[in-house]
Amino acid sequence: MSQHKFWRGITTLNIPSLQQVPDKIVKLCSLDTDFIVLGSDHGLYYCTVLEENLSFKKISGISAIDISYHNDILYIIDVHGRLYKTNSCFKNKEEIVVKEESKCCPHGFKSTSFKVKFRNVVTSDFGQLFISSDGHLWGSGVMPQIALETNSIKKVPFFEGRTVYSASVGQDFAAVIARKNVRNSGNCDTDSENDDEEVFASNCSQCQTIIGLASPASVPSLSETCPLGVHISKSSEDSSSTTAPQTDVHVDAQSLTEDSSPSSEESKVEKPDAIQYVNNNLDTDNEVQVENVDDDDDRENTENDHNNTEKINNIFINTDAARQFLSRQLSWVSAGEDYLVEYTEKPTRIIKENVSNLTNFVYEGVKTVGDKVATLSRHVSGSSDNNETVEILNRNFSEEVNSLMYSCISNKFEDLQFSTSTISSEKEFETARKNENLKNMSKLGKNILATELWTWGDISHGQLGIGDTVKRIKPMIVMSLSGFGLQKVSCGKWHCSALTLDGRLFMWGYNHFNQVSFDTREDKSSPKQFTENSDSDRIRDMIATDNHTLAYTHNENIFYMGKHLDGFTDSVVNLNKKNDEISNEKDKNCQSNVNETQSLGNKAENLCYHWRVLSSGNISYCSVEKSTICPEFQNLSIAQRYLEEMLLIYHSLVKPFLKKSKAITTHSNVYETVCDMFSDILNITALNVLSTWQYAEKHINECDISLIKNLEEFIYLYRKYYISISNLIVIGGFAHINNIVDVPSSIYNLFSDQLPTNKQKNNKKTLEAVVSLAFVQPLTRLSSYKCISQSLLRHKTKRKKAEHRAIVEEKIAKVVSSLDILIEDQDKKRKEADVTKLFWETIGKSLDLYRMPERRLIRESKSRPLNLVNPGRFSSHWFILFNDLFVHVSGSTPNVHPLETLWVEAVPNSDSLQNALQLTTPEETICVTTTSEEEKTEWLHSINSSIRTVLNKESTFKPPAIRTASYTFSNKAAFYKDAKYNGRWLDGKIHGSGKIEWPDGKFYVGQFQMNALCGHGKMEIPGVGIYEGQWKDNLQNGYGVLKYTSGDIYEGYFKDGQPHGHGIKKQGDFTTSTATIYTGEWVVGVRHGYGVMDDIGKGEKYLGNWSDNKKHGCGLIVTLDGIYYEGLFTQDILTGHGVMVFEDGTHYEGEFRSAGVFSGKGVLTFSSGDKIEGSLSGAWTEGVKISNGVMHLNVSNPVLPDNSKPNSFGKLSVVPNQKWNAIFRQCFQCMGVSETVLTPNGNHLSNGTSAVTDNMKIWQNVAVAISCSHKEKHSNLSAKKSKGSDLEKSVDCLEVIPQFGQKTLALNDYMELKQYLYNACESAHHPLGQLVLSLTNAFNTTYGGVRVHPLLLSHAVKELKSITSRLYQVVRLLFPALPSEGTDIVLPYKTKEDPDDNEESNPIDGEVVSAASLLQPTLLPRVHPALFVLYALHNKREDDLYWRRLLKWNKQPDITLMAFLGIDQKFWSTNQNHQSSPPFSPMKEQLFNEAVETLQQLKTTFSPIEKLLVIRSTFQKMTTAVQQELGQHYLWSMDELFPVFHFVVVRARILQLGSEIHFVEDFLEPGMQHGELGLMFTTLKACYFQILQEKMSINS
């Protein structure tokens, strides 16, 4: 409840009953004896004073939001911001129209000039000042300091780029509160005076488009555009103003152009909404007063938290639209990793989920910022001296807020762009969000505090407040009040007063009547704080007029100082003494329930609470609350006191320190962090004071108080602050600060009661203590927040709805509990820091190297004994446990063990060892004992909990034995000397995957086992190359690839760091002359055993044995010129008996000195068949010397058989089963077959497979090999790209150990076995697959490529047969039931009666089981290309002849050809009966078409058996075709069959048919050569020879 009180001087005036008094009075102007008041209903009342009674009379026809009276001129600002002037009799009221100058837009169009709207006016002899609704200062009169000369109203250029909140004019001086505008750059302190304002012209089309695209924040403040940047056409003004829902923004900031019609104005006035808005006080008539407490709850329920999000946050008027907009904006955002793993199958779902989450998140963020901004907007905009109540939200401020919000939002987006890609966990996302919110809150807080007080005019009484009386020609800034968040300034005749955010009142100027201070009556030239009130009873409102000052406090005291009717005051007078309250019946009638009326709806108002006390002339007024002590204001006092302390510390300690902080070199970042956070805390404290003040004035709910609304951010900031403060304590930072800045006495006095009594004031230690108290103050004052929240809990707003009450209670209770935890935590952390600081100070300089800001002492062995077991006799040992290190000082040398690589175990007690602990570190194990069991437990616990903290494993009981950590080895470690390791550990040993770097540049990434390189890994060895592959015991072991720095590459097996086993080495560069590829066996790093060397430079290929990197033993060479050598090599040279064959068939057999150089007996046979026998010497190319030679001419047989070869051909090279032993050996090793069972050269089992009994063990080894290889592939996909094609899916079926083929072999077992083998050979993980792959690669390297020689064919065939038989032995180890080599089994097919008979028709009545039938389908397709080229070269002459004949014959039509081939007439008409075309038409379908097509498939098959089946089905197709014609029972006779088949062969045009035939002959199993298939094959052969031998020409 509040009531009106009036005084003349210090005498109370009565308000008789039945007077028409407004609910609240917001402005008072005295006219000599009488006065005019402005009510909150915008009405003006004329008051006369008769004796001590007042009478009120309402003046009709005027509605106003501000008035000012001087020299019989009354200035009035109406609800639309128009300015009028009239006289005290209210006659001839005239409007003063002030136009904003028009400017040119960048495109050359002029913007229309528009009428300025005002919200405040103040007048005096000195001149008039007006504040426009966009925060610009206008003035008239003679004020040369601000360039005003005339009585017309001009804009004051001095305040461009600043927003003016409050102005006041005295007799001969003036004062304003201004704040620099915040630019979108987000930087609050940039001076924006020189920034050109953007100009938009409504008649410029380009401007229009820009406005359309402009971001909400940059929408120009032109009346032609609504808040969303849409052009308002003149015609729609009326309708828009009357029908559009009136949000604040419409009415005030962008209200309509000046010439809107009066009708629209009235309609606006009628709209309660608009009125409520425009009038700051909200309740116009009682009809509107529906806003009782219930309304409160409903408002909380609304979707957008409070009306203000709707209003202020005009960026997103509509929340759904906002959400959709954000969804669109963010639809590209990539999903977090965790999501991806879960939802890979449904990518769209992830994106949707993520986007919606993110959208909500951003929307919430923006909304929150919106709320905050709204709450603030109404404060930040200050108010002017006498217009307390009536302030339309100044437009500029709303813009400024928008710009702030805009920067928040844009930051949000950038932030999210950065974050979603880099942020992996929700935790990081939360942190990013809190940091973002804090940044914005701090920005707003900074803006609240960043006020400037400017004064100008006469200075003779010190009324400018700048500390002297020297005349000034420009406005001066009162530095001593900058940055205090000034709320209001008010001028008397020659004195001035200002009110700050922390509830302090400052006064200065003329003091003849003690209106400024009571100590003397001298004038005060600088601001003096009003101290008559108690610290908890802070100033709520104040006003200075004429020669007196009034202050209204939290506890309802009204202090009057200065001149009154009967003289002046000697000491402060309290006009509201509780006993002299005159309240008779009549008063009560005019009391109004301010609580209620004010309760809500004025969400987005400005500084709507400095209207409590008014004074003009000698009349003073105050609206006084009934209840004296108000908990809300007590809370406010607590918060304000905290702010006052923070401001003091910041301005007199932190700021000066920051200026000089360059002097600090070590740990300067710690100091910076603390200072930055201190200023953040200061800004946020200001924000909190502001919201608490609003709550106390009942403009907002508890839940909107900053502390409660943004609890998370508060806690987060204070937590960061106490951590950085403790870091500062540890490095003794306060002493440094004390050395750099002098501690002002104001700060000393602030903390003097907390210092020990015996301390001298200027003692260094004392001052250091003061500095530390100052920096710790924000943490000490956390209790004040707790106090405020507890008080809120006690005095909750009475709410109707229980659930709301519960929600609010829960919120506030959460605040209390969070603060409790915070207070406790910070206390603990600071104590730890103090203990650590003390430790560092007492131990001297020895360990200063380890003094880090983040490091804390946990315990050490001097105070808590810990002794080394078996120490040296005179050695001293000292153990110190920090939160990240364990230091063992032996003598004077410290050994430092990082905790992340420290393992601690309690050693069981024994007779010799009691209470012992074992500490394991990567390089040593320390055994220590304690004095008692308790001590042991405590040490164990401290070490373990410190390790847990370092590893971030707070939840576990005991730190894990396996962990990931980094460690740098000392120079004592042998293999790892000085190396840096990062990766997995197990009990002090490197174990698992990791990476390690040696100082010499060696670098390894891969797997480790018990401190050794073991498993798969990659190492870069400077000067050698890069190795990737298997390791064991720190050396390369197993398969790997080594890329040498020279460009050479070795790929194959290693043993103890050297190539050993089968490997391929590519040397040299293929562009240069020296390039070789060697494939074969290695022993301890050198070529040894059988290998194939392709010397690209020389153009020759060597197949043979090696010893110690040289060709040594049997071997053969083929050269690019088509020469073939074979013989014995010694040390790279062919010596002794050998063979040489030339391309044309000339060949030599005899003694050689080297390749191509004869030396000794030999026989040279020419292609003609002539021979020379004798001693030959000399190089083949330079002429050969022959002695004792005999020439044999070839007379008897004029035609030399094709491809004649010397007798020893093929006998001097390596035996096929001696080749590729290393590959087989590798496979046996992998399967676990012991070396002893193998024959000396290790390729096959010495006595069959009978010696190997334990085939279960082999299977287990196979399983292990598969899973290891499989894992490695997954962990290292790039490892073997070459083998990447294998079917990963087949691995699954290989992981089961099969049961078939172990004891017995039935047909279906055999089928499964075949399938298993096929899968095994396809998979690179299975040992068989690896074996087949290596063998076929080796074979293709040997016989493929550019330099192939037809003579190699016989070698290739033998080698392939040998490989088949050796591979079969390996398979028999796995499936012992298979028959031994050389014995075939036939598995009969099921009988026809069997119902599930498999219809597969096969050459004989069963499946032949043999090495060839089992393995050829696997091997042959892989080697077919290389092998077939050899066949083609070998049979080139015959195949060419065959092809020429075929081309000629195929030009003939069917009839001719059939006649020529002698086919019986009855077959001619086959298939022709369906033909309508004439018999000789070229279109006519070929006869036996299907048979021809079937035979053409011969080229698509790779194994002999498949080729025979193709031939068979060709015969079947022929038979079908004939039987259609000649009846079902027709049977061929050979005489009829042969010509028809011959016809089919000719028509099938099979390339290189001769080679195909030879291939089948070489590889056909003996079992197949007889019987049906054999016969059919023979028929095909006959056709081929018939084509070659045909003597008769087709045309003859």
Side-chain angles (χ1 to χ4, degrees), residues 163-274:
T163 305
V164 175
Y165 295 99
S166 170
S168 188
V169 188
Q171 188 80 36
D172 53 12
F173 76 106
V176 298
I177 298 176
R179 196 181 267 117
K180 281 184 193 169
N181 295 344
V182 180
R183 288 275 152 187
N184 281 356
S185 65
N187 190 355
C188 314
D189 4 62
T190 48
D191 202 336
S192 45
E193 286 187 48
N194 48 6
D195 294 352
D196 292 336
E197 217 181 303
E198 287 180 277
V199 181
F200 288 81
S202 56
N203 52 352
C204 165
S205 56
Q206 282 160 288
C207 289
Q208 287 287 296
T209 42
I210 295 173
I211 293 176
L213 302 172
S215 58
S218 62
V219 170
S221 55
L222 286 189
S223 54
E224 286 90 353
T225 49
C226 88
L228 295 180
V230 182
H231 185 67
I232 302 173
S233 63
K234 292 273 184 278
S235 61
S236 68
E237 269 169 14
D238 292 7
S239 59
S240 65
S241 61
T242 48
T243 57
Q246 295 268 340
T247 61
D248 305 344
V249 187
H250 277 93
V251 180
D252 103 70
Q254 324 285 38
S255 49
L256 306 150
T257 41
E258 65 273 8
D259 34 32
S260 50
S261 63
S263 68
S264 77
E265 243 166 66
E266 284 148 31
S267 61
K268 263 200 268 187
V269 177
E270 287 154 23
K271 277 273 304 157
D273 232 14

Side-chain angles (χ1 to χ4, degrees), residues 661-731:
S661 61
K662 297 277 178 297
I664 286 191
T665 47
T666 50
H667 304 306
S668 55
N669 57 335
V670 180
Y671 295 89
E672 262 169 53
T673 317
V674 169
C675 294
D676 288 351
M677 284 191 198
F678 191 94
S679 62
D680 278 348
I681 290 182
L682 172 67
N683 295 339
I684 282 172
T685 312
L687 193 62
N688 192 49
V689 168
L690 203 35
S691 55
T692 316
W693 197 329
Q694 277 183 305
Y695 171 65
E697 295 283 3
K698 306 203 171 40
H699 298 309
I700 56 171
N701 295 324
E702 300 97 323
C703 297
D704 289 335
I705 296 177
S706 189
L707 169 69
I708 293 167
K709 188 166 190 173
N710 300 102
L711 175 68
E712 277 188 13
E713 284 80 4
F714 270 81
I715 300 281
Y716 179 69
L717 177 61
Y718 276 97
R719 187 150 278 158
K720 283 202 324 199
Y721 185 67
Y722 75 60
I723 289 170
S724 26
I725 279 287
S726 356
N727 293 346
L728 195 59
I729 293 175
V730 171
I731 55 173

Side-chain angles (χ1 to χ4, degrees), residues 1354-1413:
S1354 58
H1355 295 285
V1357 172
K1358 286 181 193 152
E1359 187 173 321
L1360 197 54
K1361 288 185 170 168
S1362 153
I1363 286 177
T1364 312
S1365 78
R1366 286 189 282 169
L1367 189 56
Y1368 184 64
Q1369 291 177 339
V1370 178
V1371 175
R1372 278 197 65 213
L1373 286 177
L1374 297 175
F1375 300 106
L1378 288 172
S1380 56
E1381 208 177 346
T1383 57
D1384 297 352
I1385 312 178
V1386 177
L1387 299 174
Y1389 290 135
K1390 298 175 183 169
T1391 49
K1392 290 287 178 210
E1393 292 84 69
D1394 204 338
D1396 51 358
D1397 165 41
N1398 55 354
E1399 283 296 315
E1400 193 185 328
S1401 34
N1402 235 351
I1404 32 181
D1405 300 319
E1407 182 82 56
V1408 178
V1409 181
S1410 67
S1413 68

